[in-house]
PDB file of all heavy atoms in Angstrom:
ATOM      1  N   VAL Y 499     211.202 265.594 180.142  1.00 90.00           N
ATOM      2  CA  VAL Y 499     212.192 266.638 180.423  1.00 90.00           C
ATOM      3  C   VAL Y 499     213.162 266.776 179.250  1.00 90.00           C
ATOM      4  O   VAL Y 499     213.467 267.881 178.799  1.00 90.00           O
ATOM      5  CB  VAL Y 499     212.939 266.315 181.735  1.00 90.00           C
ATOM      6  CG1 VAL Y 499     214.182 267.181 181.906  1.00 90.00           C
ATOM      7  CG2 VAL Y 499     212.003 266.478 182.931  1.00 90.00           C
ATOM      8  N   HIS Y 500     213.656 265.660 178.756  1.00 94.00           N
ATOM      9  CA  HIS Y 500     214.631 265.635 177.660  1.00 94.00           C
ATOM     10  C   HIS Y 500     214.078 266.318 176.408  1.00 94.00           C
ATOM     11  O   HIS Y 500     214.726 267.199 175.830  1.00 94.00           O
ATOM     12  CB  HIS Y 500     214.988 264.172 177.367  1.00 94.00           C
ATOM     13  CG  HIS Y 500     215.831 263.948 176.166  1.00 94.00           C
ATOM     14  ND1 HIS Y 500     217.212 264.032 176.198  1.00 94.00           N
ATOM     15  CD2 HIS Y 500     215.510 263.610 174.892  1.00 94.00           C
ATOM     16  CE1 HIS Y 500     217.689 263.768 174.994  1.00 94.00           C
ATOM     17  NE2 HIS Y 500     216.676 263.513 174.188  1.00 94.00           N
ATOM     18  N   GLU Y 501     212.888 265.937 176.006  1.00 92.00           N
ATOM     19  CA  GLU Y 501     212.311 266.489 174.778  1.00 92.00           C
ATOM     20  C   GLU Y 501     211.987 267.974 174.938  1.00 92.00           C
ATOM     21  O   GLU Y 501     212.208 268.760 174.015  1.00 92.00           O
ATOM     22  CB  GLU Y 501     211.065 265.705 174.351  1.00 92.00           C
ATOM     23  CG  GLU Y 501     211.308 264.249 174.047  1.00 92.00           C
ATOM     24  CD  GLU Y 501     212.287 263.974 172.910  1.00 92.00           C
ATOM     25  OE1 GLU Y 501     212.697 264.914 172.195  1.00 92.00           O
ATOM     26  OE2 GLU Y 501     212.664 262.814 172.736  1.00 92.00           O
ATOM     27  N   THR Y 502     211.487 268.360 176.088  1.00 88.00           N
ATOM     28  CA  THR Y 502     211.188 269.770 176.325  1.00 88.00           C
ATOM     29  C   THR Y 502     212.460 270.605 176.240  1.00 88.00           C
ATOM     30  O   THR Y 502     212.495 271.643 175.558  1.00 88.00           O
ATOM     31  CB  THR Y 502     210.524 269.968 177.700  1.00 88.00           C
ATOM     32  OG1 THR Y 502     209.283 269.258 177.724  1.00 88.00           O
ATOM     33  CG2 THR Y 502     210.279 271.437 177.996  1.00 88.00           C
ATOM     34  N   ALA Y 503     213.511 270.164 176.905  1.00 92.00           N
ATOM     35  CA  ALA Y 503     214.769 270.919 176.900  1.00 92.00           C
ATOM     36  C   ALA Y 503     215.365 270.972 175.493  1.00 92.00           C
ATOM     37  O   ALA Y 503     215.908 272.005 175.082  1.00 92.00           O
ATOM     38  CB  ALA Y 503     215.754 270.302 177.892  1.00 92.00           C
ATOM     39  N   GLU Y 504     215.264 269.874 174.755  1.00 94.00           N
ATOM     40  CA  GLU Y 504     215.738 269.893 173.359  1.00 94.00           C
ATOM     41  C   GLU Y 504     214.984 270.952 172.552  1.00 94.00           C
ATOM     42  O   GLU Y 504     215.587 271.710 171.793  1.00 94.00           O
ATOM     43  CB  GLU Y 504     215.538 268.534 172.691  1.00 94.00           C
ATOM     44  CG  GLU Y 504     216.613 267.550 172.959  1.00 94.00           C
ATOM     45  CD  GLU Y 504     216.437 266.267 172.168  1.00 94.00           C
ATOM     46  OE1 GLU Y 504     215.297 265.910 171.798  1.00 94.00           O
ATOM     47  OE2 GLU Y 504     217.453 265.624 171.920  1.00 94.00           O
ATOM     48  N   GLU Y 505     213.673 270.970 172.713  1.00 90.00           N
ATOM     49  CA  GLU Y 505     212.864 271.926 171.951  1.00 90.00           C
ATOM     50  C   GLU Y 505     213.205 273.369 172.325  1.00 90.00           C
ATOM     51  O   GLU Y 505     213.229 274.242 171.465  1.00 90.00           O
ATOM     52  CB  GLU Y 505     211.370 271.656 172.168  1.00 90.00           C
ATOM     53  CG  GLU Y 505     210.908 270.386 171.496  1.00 90.00           C
ATOM     54  CD  GLU Y 505     209.474 270.013 171.814  1.00 90.00           C
ATOM     55  OE1 GLU Y 505     208.691 270.897 172.229  1.00 90.00           O
ATOM     56  OE2 GLU Y 505     209.125 268.832 171.636  1.00 90.00           O
ATOM     57  N   MET Y 506     213.509 273.600 173.587  1.00 88.00           N
ATOM     58  CA  MET Y 506     213.790 274.949 174.052  1.00 88.00           C
ATOM     59  C   MET Y 506     215.201 275.413 173.686  1.00 88.00           C
ATOM     60  O   MET Y 506     215.389 276.582 173.323  1.00 88.00           O
ATOM     61  CB  MET Y 506     213.596 275.019 175.574  1.00 88.00           C
ATOM     62  CG  MET Y 506     212.162 274.806 176.019  1.00 88.00           C
ATOM     63  SD  MET Y 506     212.010 274.596 177.816  1.00 88.00           S
ATOM     64  CE  MET Y 506     212.104 276.307 178.348  1.00 88.00           C
ATOM     65  N   ILE Y 507     216.175 274.543 173.775  1.00 94.00           N
ATOM     66  CA  ILE Y 507     217.585 274.941 173.647  1.00 94.00           C
ATOM     67  C   ILE Y 507     218.212 274.490 172.322  1.00 94.00           C
ATOM     68  O   ILE Y 507     218.894 275.274 171.662  1.00 94.00           O
ATOM     69  CB  ILE Y 507     218.422 274.393 174.829  1.00 94.00           C
ATOM     70  CG1 ILE Y 507     217.822 274.824 176.177  1.00 94.00           C
ATOM     71  CG2 ILE Y 507     219.886 274.790 174.694  1.00 94.00           C
ATOM     72  CD1 ILE Y 507     217.663 276.326 176.369  1.00 94.00           C
ATOM     73  N   VAL Y 508     218.007 273.251 171.941  1.00 96.00           N
ATOM     74  CA  VAL Y 508     218.686 272.700 170.761  1.00 96.00           C
ATOM     75  C   VAL Y 508     217.974 273.060 169.465  1.00 96.00           C
ATOM     76  O   VAL Y 508     218.617 273.430 168.474  1.00 96.00           O
ATOM     77  CB  VAL Y 508     218.833 271.163 170.887  1.00 96.00           C
ATOM     78  CG1 VAL Y 508     219.480 270.569 169.649  1.00 96.00           C
ATOM     79  CG2 VAL Y 508     219.637 270.823 172.129  1.00 96.00           C
ATOM     80  N   ARG Y 509     216.666 272.935 169.449  1.00 95.00           N
ATOM     81  CA  ARG Y 509     215.927 273.090 168.202  1.00 95.00           C
ATOM     82  C   ARG Y 509     216.114 274.440 167.532  1.00 95.00           C
ATOM     83  O   ARG Y 509     216.293 274.498 166.318  1.00 95.00           O
ATOM     84  CB  ARG Y 509     214.464 272.798 168.458  1.00 95.00           C
ATOM     85  CG  ARG Y 509     213.708 271.979 167.461  1.00 95.00           C
ATOM     86  CD  ARG Y 509     214.369 270.806 166.788  1.00 95.00           C
ATOM     87  NE  ARG Y 509     215.013 269.765 167.506  1.00 95.00           N
ATOM     88  CZ  ARG Y 509     214.464 268.855 168.309  1.00 95.00           C
ATOM     89  NH1 ARG Y 509     213.199 268.848 168.563  1.00 95.00           N
ATOM     90  NH2 ARG Y 509     215.201 267.923 168.881  1.00 95.00           N
ATOM     91  N   PRO Y 510     216.113 275.569 168.278  1.00 95.00           N
ATOM     92  CA  PRO Y 510     216.360 276.840 167.591  1.00 95.00           C
ATOM     93  C   PRO Y 510     217.735 276.896 166.915  1.00 95.00           C
ATOM     94  O   PRO Y 510     217.867 277.450 165.821  1.00 95.00           O
ATOM     95  CB  PRO Y 510     216.248 277.879 168.716  1.00 95.00           C
ATOM     96  CG  PRO Y 510     215.334 277.237 169.719  1.00 95.00           C
ATOM     97  CD  PRO Y 510     215.714 275.772 169.675  1.00 95.00           C
ATOM     98  N   VAL Y 511     218.746 276.302 167.533  1.00 97.00           N
ATOM     99  CA  VAL Y 511     220.081 276.262 166.931  1.00 97.00           C
ATOM    100  C   VAL Y 511     220.081 275.311 165.739  1.00 97.00           C
ATOM    101  O   VAL Y 511     220.650 275.612 164.692  1.00 97.00           O
ATOM    102  CB  VAL Y 511     221.144 275.853 167.978  1.00 97.00           C
ATOM    103  CG1 VAL Y 511     222.507 275.646 167.326  1.00 97.00           C
ATOM    104  CG2 VAL Y 511     221.225 276.904 169.089  1.00 97.00           C
TER     105      VAL Y 511
END
Side-chain angles (χ1 to χ4, degrees):
V499 167
H500 172 85
E501 299 299 351
T502 298
E504 277 186 334
E505 289 174 20
M506 294 170 79
I507 305 303
V508 178
R509 222 39 53 67
V511 173

